[in-house]
Amino acid sequence: MMMSKLMVPPMMTMKLIHSHLDHKLSKEEVDKLEKKKWAYKWVVAMSNYKWRGTGECFLKELGSFLFHGLKTTLYKHWLGIYEKSGGVDFDSSKQGLFFTICNSYRDILHHNKKPFYLKGLEEDSRTMDAYIMHSLNHIFRTRDLVKKNDAKLPKLQENVKADVLNNEAFLDRGFTRPKVLILLPLASVAFRVVKRLIDLTPPKSKSNVEEHERFYREFGAGVSEDKEDEDVAEMSESKRNSKPSDFQTLFEGNNSDHFMIGIKFTRRSIRLYGDFYSSDMIVAYPLGLITKIGEAELYKDKNVDYLSSTEVLIVDHADIILMQNWSHTNTIVEQLNWIPSEQHGTDIMRIRQWYLDGQAPLYRQSIILSSHISPDINGLFNHHCLNHEGKVKLASEYKGVLPKVVLQIQQIYERFDANTSEDADDARFDYFTKKVFPKIKDSTQGGIMLFSSSYFEFIRVRNFLKPQEASYCLLGEYTEQSDISRARVWFFDGKKKIMPYTERAHFYHRYKVRGSQNLIIYSLPERKEFYPELKRIVGTAAAKRMVTSDKGVFVFCKRQVTIFSTEVLGKGKILLSKGSNYYCSSEIWFLS
């Protein structure tokens, strides 16, 4: 159903943090969750995308939108910031909508978030504000419950205290203090998130921000608070023009990908760089945590028990983490909510029973945010996010990026068949080696760039080319800089005929590879914005004759539905002819 204004129905006003944490799972519920089978029963449509969910639908078409469950002090402070920035109708705002989705405590997969570095600053900031406020609300409300019970216990007589502790109302904590874990790809992104976290914290709770200067120094690349928002005018015009604008915006700050910071909220202050066991929130890049996990495996006196009681996990900019090392993220999520090796000073009589029963993963909310979807992100969401409240995920209709290819370059799409998605890699490789490479080998033409989205595909193609005595040079993410410089010269001069090139190398460097006359896309890029960029690489030189026809870009597509094909090519089935700028030797499927 289409809608313009949303709110949580009255029946859901109590479905908040305490009802989520106090819910007792039956054996049948546990068995069902562990099967990892999800039935999406409802859809709420909004402009060009839809929210789909399991269980009961909690989004309805109503007259207004309310922030049910948000602490009054947080709401008033957030409202003031919103109005100060010129916003109107806060109760119907997009950040309000996403906060409500977060506040449902369901696992969330948002895979069409326009990031700040791709002209999506406003949308990205709204989403960030919502999950930050949800995190603050979770931390403050769980802390309020603990303080309330702390105040009650001293007033009880000793002879009844033991009986009272058996009362479930006093089960108010996990094994350790940290409740929120936020995984981010770069220190500059963490700087942006933590800075906004401080802004969104009400004044009474941040009369003092400890280690504030250290944070600006280490995460802000030495930028002072006064100069942080200034335009970087010192950047030379030549450097500004040498890379795309999204590259400049993303990598202009602190690019460190090895960081980890604990954040503790006291009654009137925020303590940055707190000890992890005494922190309420941990913000980290996956590699930072992987290092700690590795140390815990090597040394008996080290552990990562502070991950045992994570109740809200947020993975923002997951698409960038994909370009780094997604396996680290999988490892971390698998390590969450383990029963700790030590007590760490926790009053065991007040630990929630489901922690002791090893059911904490079934109560953890996971929020994954990305600019696009991928099998790796889908796999994490489907197999490692098992929240008993259920799931909500986006279902987008992609227009594709072909209209953004402004250069008049002929694009040829070759279809190969694969029975299943699992067979696709072998089918693609078989098609390349038997149908495509023989034509390249017999041709005298050079300047052939061979693009792969995966490093494993890159290695597989390289291992094939080597015994064929093919003329090639490599441009991958692990290629030494001296070898890269040499390869680019050889390719431009025509001394090497083929250049295998990876998406990750393009993401980190955006090389301008001179001498490219034809582009073979072995596998479509995960990041759809790279498709027009790759075309521009070919467009720097006139396309020459390869084998039998004038070919500028040559793409492999399998007939089955794929995520990347949909995002790059768009929705719908179109048969293209030789008379257009797109040509298909057999049939091209624009997949939905």
Side-chain angles (χ1 to χ4, degrees):
M1 57 184 172
M2 296 302 296
M3 61 184 181
S4 57
K5 293 186 177 182
L6 297 168
M7 70 173 287
V8 180
M11 68 187 74
M12 296 297 296
T13 57
M14 296 305 294
K15 195 67 175 177
L16 303 172
I17 177 172
H18 297 308
S19 58
H20 166 64
L21 297 178
D22 293 342
H23 177 72
K24 293 182 180 180
L25 287 173
S26 66
K27 185 179 185 303
E28 291 74 18
E29 287 178 298
V30 173
D31 292 341
K32 185 177 180 180
L33 289 169
E34 290 179 346
K35 289 179 180 178
K36 304 176 183 179
K37 302 292 184 182
W38 316 109
Y40 291 86
K41 299 180 178 179
W42 56 266
V43 177
V44 173
M46 299 181 62
S47 61
N48 65 332
Y49 62 88
K50 302 173 183 177
W51 285 107
R52 301 171 59 218
T54 65
E56 295 294 326
C57 179
F58 62 95
L59 294 175
K60 300 292 184 181
E61 186 174 11
L62 295 171
S64 62
F65 180 87
L66 299 176
F67 295 78
H68 291 291
L70 181 61
K71 283 178 68 69
T72 303
T73 53
L74 291 174
Y75 174 80
K76 289 182 177 179
H77 181 60
W78 196 8
L79 174 62
I81 292 175
Y82 179 80
E83 292 179 340
K84 188 176 181 180
S85 67
V88 295
D89 197 9
F90 188 46
D91 287 345
S92 298
S93 62
K94 291 184 178 179
Q95 52 264 61
L97 166 63
F98 193 67
F99 170 81
T100 296
I101 295 174
C102 292
N103 201 40
S104 72
Y105 276 91
R106 304 190 184 199
D107 290 333
I108 302 169
L109 175 56
H110 185 344
H111 55 77
N112 195 26
K113 179 171 72 79
K114 194 171 184 179
F116 68 91
Y117 54 88
L118 280 173
K119 301 179 181 179
L121 179 60
E122 183 177 354
E123 178 181 337
D124 202 348
S125 297
R126 288 196 297 257
T127 305
M128 179 178 66
D129 279 7
Y131 76 67
I132 287 175
M133 193 56 71
H134 174 59
S135 300
L136 287 172
N137 195 53
H138 185 87
I139 290 169
F140 288 175
R141 286 205 175 276
T142 52
R143 184 183 66 181
D144 288 348
L145 178 61
V146 171
K147 287 185 174 181
K148 180 181 176 181
N149 288 337
D150 285 345
K152 286 181 179 179
L153 284 173
K155 299 177 182 179
L156 300 174
Q157 297 179 8
E158 288 299 326
N159 59 345
V160 299
K161 186 177 292 185
D163 293 333
V164 169
L165 285 174
N166 290 325
N167 187 332
E168 292 184 358
F170 286 87
L171 302 182
D172 54 14
R173 64 191 63 189
F175 295 111
T176 55
R177 179 165 176 163
K179 292 291 182 286
V180 178
L181 173 63
I182 303 179
L183 299 180
L184 300 169
L186 299 168
S188 58
V189 178
F191 178 75
R192 180 171 174 262
V193 170
V194 176
K195 183 175 181 295
R196 188 59 174 172
L197 173 76
I198 296 171
D199 292 341
L200 289 175
T201 303
K204 290 184 178 180
S205 299
K206 60 176 181 184
S207 58
N208 180 37
V209 180
E210 299 180 27
E211 300 289 353
H212 187 260
E213 290 300 321
R214 176 186 172 187
F215 171 72
Y216 267 81
R217 184 173 63 252
E218 294 185 1
F219 281 76
V223 178
S224 67
E225 183 172 6
D226 294 335
K227 295 183 178 181
E228 187 267 327
D229 293 322
E230 292 181 6
D231 185 31
V232 188
E234 296 81 5
M235 182 184 292
S236 67
E237 192 65 26
S238 60
K239 183 177 180 181
R240 186 184 298 274
N241 293 333
S242 65
K243 303 289 184 183
S245 60
D246 65 291
F247 180 92
Q248 296 176 30
T249 303
L250 178 59
F251 292 110
E252 68 182 357
N254 186 338
N255 298 328
S256 171
D257 58 4
H258 198 292
F259 61 86
M260 189 170 170
I261 182 172
I263 302 173
K264 178 180 180 178
F265 294 89
T266 64
R267 185 181 178 187
R268 296 192 179 278
S269 68
I270 301 174
R271 180 178 301 167
L272 304 179
Y273 297 94
D275 174 76
F276 296 131
Y277 285 99
S278 63
S279 297
D280 297 290
M281 175 188 292
I282 295 174
V283 177
Y285 171 62
L287 181 59
L289 277 170
I290 286 294
T291 302
K292 297 293 185 181
I293 291 171
E295 292 174 354
E297 292 174 349
L298 289 175
Y299 306 105
K300 292 183 179 180
D301 61 333
K302 295 183 180 294
N303 58 63
V304 288
D305 290 345
Y306 43 77
L307 300 178
S308 64
S309 302
T310 301
E311 294 175 353
V312 178
L313 167 67
I314 300 169
V315 184
D316 197 3
H317 300 285
D319 51 295
I320 302 178
I321 299 176
L322 278 170
M323 292 287 104
Q324 296 167 321
N325 193 329
W326 186 255
S327 65
H328 290 339
T329 305
N330 281 332
T331 300
I332 290 166
V333 175
E334 290 169 359
Q335 292 274 339
L336 294 179
N337 304 120
W338 284 18
I339 295 178
S341 57
E342 301 177 18
Q343 188 172 340
H344 300 288
T346 303
D347 184 351
I348 196 170
M349 297 296 293
R350 292 174 64 178
I351 296 176
R352 294 181 184 273
Q353 187 60 44
W354 46 263
Y355 271 112
L356 300 173
D357 292 339
Q359 295 178 349
L362 308 182
Y363 288 80
R364 185 189 70 237
Q365 180 187 32
S366 301
I367 302 172
I368 304 176
L369 308 169
S370 175
S371 68
H372 66 262
I373 192 60
S374 81
D376 288 323
I377 293 175
N378 255 340
L380 179 70
F381 189 68
N382 291 332
H383 300 293
H384 296 290
C385 302
L386 312 178
N387 189 348
H388 74 82
E389 293 287 356
K391 292 178 176 289
V392 181
K393 72 176 182 179
L394 212 61
S396 299
E397 294 184 359
Y398 298 101
K399 297 179 180 179
V401 295
L402 290 183
K404 296 183 180 180
V405 182
V406 295
L407 297 171
Q408 295 298 306
I409 298 175
Q410 200 170 37
Q411 301 174 56
I412 300 93
Y413 294 82
E414 284 283 345
R415 190 195 76 194
F416 66 89
D417 292 315
N419 294 326
T420 66
S421 297
E422 289 75 14
D423 297 333
D425 289 342
D426 290 337
R428 178 184 286 107
F429 181 73
D430 187 65
Y431 189 91
F432 172 77
T433 57
K434 294 179 180 179
K435 300 292 185 181
V436 179
F437 179 73
K439 298 178 183 180
I440 298 174
K441 188 174 184 180
D442 294 340
S443 173
T444 59
Q445 181 188 341
I448 301 170
M449 177 175 285
L450 182 57
F451 177 88
S452 301
S453 64
S454 163
Y455 182 72
F456 298 105
E457 293 171 341
F458 173 81
I459 294 299
R460 192 176 191 181
V461 170
R462 181 204 65 182
N463 292 343
F464 168 76
L465 293 175
K466 190 172 182 179
Q468 302 297 322
E469 297 183 353
S471 173
Y472 70 94
C473 54
L474 301 173
L475 186 53
E477 59 262 40
Y478 298 115
T479 308
E480 295 290 339
Q481 185 57 50
S482 58
D483 293 334
I484 290 174
S485 301
R486 189 182 305 111
R488 294 174 70 183
V489 171
W490 285 345
F491 191 66
F492 176 67
D493 292 340
K495 294 179 180 179
K496 297 295 182 182
K497 187 176 179 178
I498 307 169
M499 175 180 278
Y501 185 36
T502 66
E503 181 171 7
R504 190 181 294 178
H506 188 70
F507 173 78
Y508 277 108
H509 302 288
R510 308 293 179 89
Y511 291 114
K512 290 184 177 180
V513 183
R514 298 183 300 166
S516 301
Q517 298 175 30
N518 286 280
L519 170 65
I520 297 177
I521 298 183
Y522 183 88
S523 53
L524 285 167
E526 291 190 11
R527 304 184 70 85
K528 60 183 182 291
E529 65 269 16
F530 285 176
Y531 191 82
E533 284 188 18
L534 294 170
K535 301 299 182 294
R536 286 194 290 271
I537 292 177
V538 179
T540 58
K544 294 184 178 180
R545 206 172 163 77
M546 184 177 84
V547 192
T548 59
S549 64
D550 292 336
K551 299 187 176 183
V553 179
F554 186 86
V555 184
F556 298 164
C557 288
K558 72 184 181 74
R559 185 163 183 157
Q560 282 73 22
V561 171
T562 62
I563 296 169
F564 306 144
S565 298
T566 307
E567 294 195 4
V568 172
L569 304 179
K571 182 182 179 182
K573 173 185 171 184
I574 301 176
L575 181 63
L576 302 172
S577 66
K578 287 185 179 180
S580 68
N581 288 330
Y582 313 101
Y583 168 71
C584 301
S585 61
S586 53
E587 185 178 20
I588 171 64
W589 291 67
F590 282 43
L591 304 168
S592 60

